[in-house]
Amino acid sequence: MEPQHLRDLYDRQLRREARPDGPGCRVERDGPVVRQTGPAHAWNGVLWSGLDAPGADAAIAAQIAHYRAAGLSFEWKLYGHDGPADLADRLLAAGFTAEDPETLMATEAAALPQDVPLPEGVELHAVTDEAGVRQVVEVHERAFGTDSSHIGRQLLDRLAADPDTVTAVVAVASGEPVSAARLELCPGTDFAGLWGGGTVEAWRGRGLYRALVAHRARIAAARGHRYVQVDAADTSRPILQRLGFLTLSTTTPYTYTV
């Protein structure tokens, strides 16, 4: 695997040729910009842009106008290799707010460890219904300290409308959900995305994150996806590097509130 090849493949399949990631969402190409627009609880934002310096400000203004007209706050998902070189500064000048950067990483699903032991007394439960989704949301809110209700709504939408494109898992200890994660399968592409891996504080450092990565990678490979990718926070990047993930780029959410 060459990082440049993987990055180019990722850009083409998941950004330039992106498909809607939930019911009620549509992906549109507006000149040099690819964006998704959907319900307020869905992910709304710019997936890809091929901008140059002369046209960048006009393209940014056009996206702000589009989402304002729809009454939607949105995200411009900026990658470290996107141009022009000062695009981040232009987004800030236009009223966007930068969130924490993450590292785009990927590896072959079949190359990951297949059997990572769980801590004693912990079981993995597949999420198939509203009760399971509530456990996912509970874990996320305890692990990250943020309101994760929108994740629950998005997951319920996907499970109801297109269950073959998403799967989620909860690690349970003595009836208590202690870790959770999602796998988003992208039909017609080589990639599946690892999202939302979170563990409540008391259970960190026991291998649950690695176990959930391995569990989801097995599913991705079985469903025909060669690669798994992740937007890795600083806390998870070293674990993923040890598992063999390659760094492809950085990604920073720039949010605009209407």
Side-chain angles (χ1 to χ4, degrees), residues 165-186:
T165 66
V166 66
T167 184
V169 60
V170 177
V172 178
S174 301
E176 176 193 3
V178 296
S179 188
R182 308 186 311 280
L183 172 70
E184 297 191 0
L185 303 148
C186 305

Side-chain angles (χ1 to χ4, degrees), residues 66-174:
H66 167 77
Y67 287 105
R68 272 183 175 166
L72 295 168
S73 297
F74 73 104
E75 175 184 315
W76 192 298
K77 194 169 175 65
L78 179 64
Y79 290 78
H81 57 285
D82 290 345
D86 64 348
L87 183 52
D89 292 335
R90 292 172 186 262
L91 291 171
L92 293 173
F96 287 79
T97 300
E99 299 185 7
D100 291 337
E102 296 176 314
T103 303
L104 174 65
M105 308 181 79
T107 193
E108 291 195 65
L112 288 168
Q114 295 297 300
D115 295 305
V116 176
L118 292 165
E120 184 176 354
V122 175
E123 298 177 343
L124 298 186
H125 294 178
V127 174
T128 59
D129 56 19
E130 189 170 351
V133 171
R134 284 198 298 269
Q135 289 187 320
V136 171
V137 172
E138 177 187 337
V139 168
H140 279 61
E141 293 185 340
R142 292 174 61 195
F144 302 120
T146 56
D147 180 3
S148 299
S149 57
H150 65 290
I151 292 174
R153 291 190 64 187
Q154 292 170 11
L155 183 52
L156 280 173
D157 282 353
R158 294 277 291 273
L159 288 171
D162 209 355
D164 289 337
T165 66
V166 66
T167 184
V169 60
V170 177
V172 178
S174 301

